[in-house]
Amino acid sequence: RITKMYVTDPERDTLLIDVRFESLTGEPLELYALFDPNLSNNGNDDSASSREGVLWAFDAQAASALMAKPAFEKVSNGFFGTSDGWTDLSQDKAMNWTYPFAAAGNVVQIAKTALDGKDAKTMTVAIGFGSDAAGAARSAFASLKRGFDRIAADYAGTWHQYLAKFKTPEAVRTERLKNIYTVSLMVLAAGEDKIHPGAVIAAPNMPWLWGKPAPWVTVSDAYH
């Protein structure tokens, strides 16, 4: 059983994930993190590198850094469909490749976590972003150092401040309606352009459509 909670750091360009991993059989298991960066909305020109449990990815405009606490035990960089971690694990359910670098392509990164679901069950994963690899790593490291609980409290506080600006309509009288109303306000805020107020994502559930769509989806259903 994997239970995850996601928050963004209000002070940094970091996504934090609180992970709890439990073996339901009582036997130790292996848990891996698979990351496909797709920087600048295009994954075809990314490069990647790794060292001492940290995974970096970068293109000409942006960069990401993936790290965890406790630290990843093994890391590798590869290309989608040939040398990526998923292809590696699919062969014998073990991580055999530890490529330190992958240049200019659709890179996919993998990390073996320190969790076994039995004696080690919890970790925090950080994905930092920046204009370059150093900046992305600084962001992720600083967020990990501050800790998930403190940043989660900061994150919740920003939403409470936002919701406090609105007066609840008189029609919203029950606790159930109040929850629906406040969550709806948050969904609208999350989907709004942060640079151009009023511009909103047309379909948060399907902003892009790549490859072959599902049988119940028509091409006209997808917004771009």
Side-chain angles (χ1 to χ4, degrees):
R1 178 189 293 119
I2 303 177
T3 306
K4 293 173 287 185
M5 182 180 293
Y6 297 79
V7 297
T8 54
D9 188 338
E11 301 297 327
R12 303 170 187 87
D13 293 325
T14 308
L15 173 70
L16 283 181
I17 312 170
D18 178 72
V19 181
R20 182 172 179 81
F21 180 56
E22 303 168 89
S23 171
L24 301 183
T25 65
E27 298 295 323
L29 303 171
E30 294 182 350
L31 179 66
Y32 296 87
L34 193 70
F35 183 49
D36 186 351
N38 279 294
L39 298 169
S40 305
N41 291 324
N42 185 346
N44 296 326
D45 61 348
D46 294 342
S47 296
S49 64
S50 57
R51 187 180 61 171
E52 298 178 354
V54 180
L55 290 154
W56 291 274
F58 50 91
D59 64 10
Q61 297 177 301
S64 64
L66 176 67
M67 60 184 73
K69 185 178 182 180
F72 295 133
E73 295 183 346
K74 293 174 66 176
V75 292
S76 184
N77 307 277
F79 296 104
F80 176 75
T82 57
S83 56
D84 63 277
W86 181 252
T87 302
D88 184 11
L89 292 178
S90 298
Q91 297 179 10
D92 57 4
K93 298 183 180 179
M95 183 177 171
N96 302 300
W97 303 336
T98 53
Y99 299 126
F101 189 77
N106 187 356
V107 300
V108 178
Q109 302 174 297
I110 190 171
K112 183 179 185 297
T113 76
L115 305 188
D116 62 7
K118 184 180 179 182
D119 298 319
K121 297 181 179 180
T122 60
M123 71 175 177
T124 301
V125 176
I127 308 174
F129 298 94
S131 58
D132 55 37
R138 284 195 298 269
S139 180
F141 180 79
S143 296
L144 273 183
K145 185 177 181 180
R146 180 162 175 77
F148 183 87
D149 290 340
R150 294 173 69 183
I151 288 180
D154 294 343
Y155 174 78
T158 63
W159 280 113
H160 288 300
Q161 292 173 15
Y162 174 76
L163 294 172
K165 297 187 300 182
F166 297 93
K167 181 180 179 180
T168 304
E170 293 183 4
V172 181
R173 298 175 180 175
T174 67
E175 193 65 25
R176 177 177 177 274
L177 286 178
K178 184 177 181 180
N179 288 337
I180 293 174
Y181 172 72
T182 54
V183 170
S184 297
L185 287 175
M186 295 166 72
V187 170
L188 289 172
E192 185 178 19
D193 191 308
K194 304 307 181 286
I195 299 176
H196 305 92
V200 180
I201 294 174
N205 65 318
M206 193 189 300
W208 295 95
L209 180 64
W210 298 107
K212 185 179 180 180
W216 60 86
V217 176
T218 60
V219 174
S220 61
D221 288 333
Y223 289 88
H224 295 268

